[in-house]
Amino acid sequence: MTVTTHWFLPTHGDGRSIVDRPHATPEGAGTPRRPDIDYLAQVAQAAEHLGFTGMLTPTGSWCQDAWITTAALLARTRRIKFLVAFRPGSLTPTLAAQLATTYQRVSGGRLLLNIVTGGESTEQQRYGDWLDHDQRYERTDEFLAVLRGIFDGEPFDFDGRHYQVRGATAFEAPDPRPQLYFGGSSEAALPVAARRADVHLTWGEPPDAVARKVKLLRELAAEEGRSLRFGLRAHVITRDTSEDAWATAQRFLDQMDPAEVAASQAKLNASESTGQRNMVALHGGALRGEARELEVHPGLWAGVGLLRGGAGTAFVGSHREVADLIEEYHSVGIEEFVLSGYPHLEEAYWFGEGVHPELARRGLR
């Protein structure tokens, strides 16, 4: 069993450190690298050249729309797939099926779907969505039931609490059917993943915690008569030597303003997301003096989460050491890795030219 690697498309802007683009505020004029289509094309073309399979493209009010941006990049790339994130509350499952079917035909089958239920009520309410945390997962479960029904290619009826459809269909079944990636660590989220997802994505908690989650989800999926694949979302700082990698992590830490860290942690500590609370627990919100003090497992650094919401850990080390950590996660069931770095263009080359060959030597690519 080999691993699949994906990269990240920075549709909120990019920069040389976490401080430049912390993912905690709306995209602003101060972003060193604006997310114009030419820069995003550079990142996508680099990821394609370096052998990544797909590119996660985020969703939210803090970034550009994933459907439109990636559609524009289809003509600038040839092979790479786009893992388009979207929120079920923002469109109907029938429209989502139509979009996916059209995208597959136009792109030649280069669409993957990342279902983002939404972890924060304040963000959801910007879109007019007033359901609470557990209700959102209930709606996602129904959304995916309808979406999968339409993907089967026959008119589909459904009666649920959130959706009632009659004869729902797209103009044709998508070919190939886009794989459904789904994240969520709460008691409300895990059964939905077991019933509906193809790939469950988790953030970069230490391998023992990830192993427990994989075991639980495998059991839940088996009860549904299904099987799941598993992926992990993290950042990466990989260099020719471990010393160089940790020096970069130290530079990122040294650039952080304590007041900005405190403001970010005040927001993140109030999160409704179980996964986000798990990320905060890794570092405790404390701005340490030495980067190594935030190493929560060999090669796993929690410093990113001091400023950035969502994925808050990074794989840090030499190319061999980063490959060691990937292999460790792989041993507990992780087959896909969705990675990013600062800046996304340069870090894609560090990983693609350094870690990909190391994984290949181990028979993992």
Side-chain angles (χ1 to χ4, degrees):
M1 185 171 62
T2 59
V3 301
T4 299
T5 56
H6 306 280
W7 200 241
F8 186 84
L9 191 67
T11 56
H12 59 316
D14 202 2
R16 292 181 175 272
S17 77
I18 305 161
V19 172
D20 288 335
R21 193 65 262 152
H23 183 91
T25 56
E27 188 273 326
T31 304
R33 298 186 188 180
R34 301 283 290 174
D36 60 70
I37 198 66
D38 290 331
Y39 179 67
L40 296 178
Q42 286 186 60
V43 178
Q45 289 163 358
E48 182 172 77
H49 173 72
L50 293 162
F52 291 93
T53 295
M55 298 203 74
L56 174 62
T57 310
T59 185
S61 58
W62 50 271
C63 62
Q64 297 174 166
D65 177 74
W67 292 97
I68 293 174
T69 303
T70 59
L73 289 172
L74 290 174
R76 309 283 287 268
T77 53
R78 295 177 296 169
R79 174 196 55 80
I80 199 159
K81 297 180 180 180
F82 291 102
L83 179 50
V84 171
F86 72 97
R87 301 175 188 237
S90 300
L91 71 171
T92 69
T94 307
L95 177 57
Q98 182 182 20
L99 288 168
T101 298
T102 304
Y103 200 111
Q104 289 296 61
R105 176 172 282 274
V106 170
S107 69
R110 292 162 61 189
L111 176 67
L112 306 168
L113 293 175
N114 182 29
I115 314 302
V116 180
T117 298
E120 310 301 337
S121 292
T122 52
E123 170 75 4
Q124 297 300 121
Q125 289 165 11
R126 293 171 186 165
Y127 293 91
D129 181 6
W130 292 84
L131 297 185
D132 66 27
H133 177 276
D134 287 1
Q135 289 173 332
R136 292 196 292 269
Y137 279 104
E138 180 184 72
R139 177 179 61 195
T140 296
D141 190 33
E142 293 187 8
F143 183 100
L144 294 177
V146 177
L147 186 69
R148 283 190 171 277
I150 297 172
F151 281 173
D152 286 339
E154 299 293 335
F156 185 75
D157 295 344
F158 184 84
D159 286 291
R161 180 180 176 188
H162 301 278
Y163 299 103
Q164 299 85 38
V165 299
R166 290 290 178 273
T169 185
F171 61 93
E172 62 182 3
D175 184 23
R177 177 185 296 212
Q179 295 288 287
L180 302 181
Y181 291 67
F182 177 89
S185 298
S186 67
E187 291 184 7
L190 297 181
V192 180
R195 278 191 294 270
R196 311 294 182 195
D198 296 306
V199 181
H200 179 270
L201 287 176
T202 187
W203 289 328
E205 299 174 49
D208 58 345
V210 172
R212 290 192 295 271
K213 192 180 299 183
V214 167
K215 180 177 183 294
L216 175 57
L217 276 163
R218 280 179 172 159
E219 292 170 353
L220 292 173
E223 292 173 4
E224 299 286 342
R226 305 184 70 242
S227 61
L228 281 175
R229 299 197 313 281
F230 297 93
L232 185 140
R233 170 80 182 98
H235 307 279
V236 64
I237 304 171
T238 183
R239 298 292 183 270
D240 292 339
T241 68
S242 184
E243 293 75 16
D244 286 349
W246 281 103
T248 300
Q250 186 65 53
R251 176 172 62 83
F252 288 173
L253 190 66
D254 292 343
Q255 291 173 337
M256 295 183 188
D257 185 313
E260 291 181 1
V261 170
S264 178
Q265 291 306 301
K267 294 178 182 178
L268 298 178
N269 273 298
S271 175
E272 302 167 27
S273 164
T274 299
Q276 184 63 75
R277 292 196 297 271
N278 291 344
M279 288 288 97
V280 171
L282 292 177
H283 55 66
L287 183 58
R288 316 291 173 84
E290 298 294 326
R292 285 277 194 174
E293 295 180 70
L294 291 163
E295 188 179 19
V296 295
H297 180 84
L300 186 66
W301 187 57
V304 178
L306 290 170
L307 278 180
R308 188 193 194 280
T313 53
F315 301 170
V316 181
S318 68
H319 307 313
R320 179 184 57 80
E321 290 168 338
V322 169
D324 287 343
L325 187 53
I326 288 174
E327 191 166 13
E328 186 175 2
Y329 279 114
H330 183 254
S331 73
V332 302
I334 300 298
E335 298 177 55
E336 303 199 22
F337 293 84
V338 182
L339 303 169
S340 54
Y342 299 93
H344 289 76
L345 181 59
E346 287 91 326
E347 196 66 48
Y349 276 96
W350 280 114
F351 188 93
E353 294 177 343
V355 182
H356 274 167
E358 181 65 30
L359 293 173
R361 282 192 289 272
R362 301 177 188 207
L364 291 175
R365 279 180 62 82

